[in-house]
Amino acid sequence: MDLMKQDIASLRVAVLQTGRSADGTAVEHGDYDEMCKALILREPSEATTFAVLDGEFPSNVDAYDVYLVTGSAHGVYEDFDWIAPLESLIREIYERQKKLIGICFGHQIIAQALGGRVEKSDRGFGVGVMEYQLTDKSGGQRNVALYAWHQDQVVAAPRGAEVIARSDFCEIAGLRYGDHGLTFQPHPEFTKDYMEALANIRRGGTITDEMSDEAIASLKQKVDADLIQDMLVEFMSH
């Protein structure tokens, strides 16, 4: 990990922020852009945030080597005036063969921008620790546990994208776009404490009391976020 961190030290990273952490949690747990920067081993001062949900976009795609699209409470199919420009930016990033990373909403909007399809699942919300079958770059497979919080899902992958993570709840939970794109539906950037806070804040609203209790109970299980972190750092460095 330390050697890979050195490999990415010179990379110029832009975080495209599409959502914010739940009300009252940013001070203790960080905002979504800060969580994502920590995931890819960047201090906040070493990567640039563009709050695309506020209409803030990079003016020059070539100014950065890596782009990461964060999670969000919004849906990629919603009629926000920043969705279409973000899709256009994603296509330009991809065409210029910059490194492109997506988490949750980022996973979905990248798929949609590149020709895939995203829908609200009739299975309802998946919250808490969930099990996934993960395929690494060499084709090896293993089961991993990761934090999840979503109802929307990628239901059709873009042409040429490889499905690298799946679960019974979400069949397209991870996508690899050759050497230039890597996206995940679950949240390797979330911490246990933030997941618990989120489950309590959303209790009786977005999710039922029972779902909140089940999500919190699942947090006793160890997650494999460090494995996803390793994959992302290795992806960035090659």
Side-chain angles (χ1 to χ4, degrees):
M1 178 67 74
D2 289 341
L3 290 176
M4 285 193 289
K5 183 176 180 181
Q6 291 175 10
D7 289 340
I8 67 171
S10 62
L11 293 176
R12 300 165 297 173
V13 178
V15 175
L16 306 179
Q17 185 175 0
T18 61
R20 296 187 171 91
S21 53
D23 294 346
T25 63
V27 172
E28 182 176 358
H29 302 287
D31 211 344
Y32 282 172
D33 63 323
E34 296 170 311
M35 295 181 192
C36 288
K37 289 173 185 178
L39 176 68
I40 57 175
L41 302 180
R42 288 277 177 171
E43 295 295 330
S45 62
E46 295 180 317
T48 303
T49 294
F50 292 93
V52 296
L53 77 168
D54 296 328
E56 182 182 327
F57 287 83
S59 59
N60 179 8
V61 169
D62 290 327
Y64 299 94
D65 305 301
V66 179
Y67 287 85
L68 186 152
V69 188
T70 72
S72 176
H74 300 307
V76 301
Y77 43 74
E78 293 186 73
D79 189 25
F80 293 110
D81 57 10
W82 51 271
I83 293 287
L86 177 57
E87 289 186 323
S88 294
L89 175 61
I90 287 167
R91 286 190 286 269
E92 185 177 2
I93 291 167
Y94 187 72
E95 288 166 3
R96 290 180 178 272
Q97 298 188 345
K98 304 292 184 178
K99 297 286 186 174
L100 185 57
I101 296 169
I103 304 296
C104 195
F105 178 98
H107 165 74
Q108 297 165 11
I109 193 73
I110 290 170
Q112 180 171 283
L114 298 180
R117 191 170 78 254
V118 178
E119 294 179 357
K120 190 178 292 293
S121 174
D122 58 10
R123 300 177 182 180
F125 268 89
V127 295
V129 178
M130 302 190 77
E131 298 282 343
Y132 299 87
Q133 183 183 65
L134 180 68
T135 303
D136 62 29
K137 197 171 183 180
S138 65
Q141 294 185 336
R142 62 179 293 178
N143 293 328
V144 298
L146 296 165
Y147 297 133
W149 192 287
H150 69 103
Q151 181 174 8
D152 296 347
Q153 296 189 21
V154 178
V155 296
R159 181 178 299 177
E162 175 191 2
V163 179
I164 61 167
R166 64 184 76 237
S167 71
D168 292 339
F169 178 74
C170 182
E171 295 180 2
I172 304 177
L175 288 168
R176 183 183 291 275
Y177 299 81
D179 294 327
H180 305 294
L182 188 61
T183 69
F184 292 99
Q185 178 60 62
H187 285 278
E189 84 281 20
F190 281 3
T191 63
K192 177 181 177 181
D193 288 345
Y194 180 71
M195 280 291 295
E196 183 171 358
L198 188 58
N200 281 316
I201 289 170
R202 301 293 186 237
R203 177 187 297 273
T206 305
I207 60 174
T208 65
D209 289 350
E210 181 181 5
M211 291 173 66
S212 180
D213 290 339
E214 290 176 353
I216 291 171
S218 76
L219 301 181
K220 297 176 182 177
Q221 183 176 350
K222 182 182 180 298
V223 295
D224 300 293
D226 57 342
L227 180 62
I228 304 302
Q229 183 182 55
D230 287 347
M231 288 183 66
L232 291 172
V233 174
E234 191 274 339
F235 164 74
M236 291 168 61
S237 63
H238 292 86

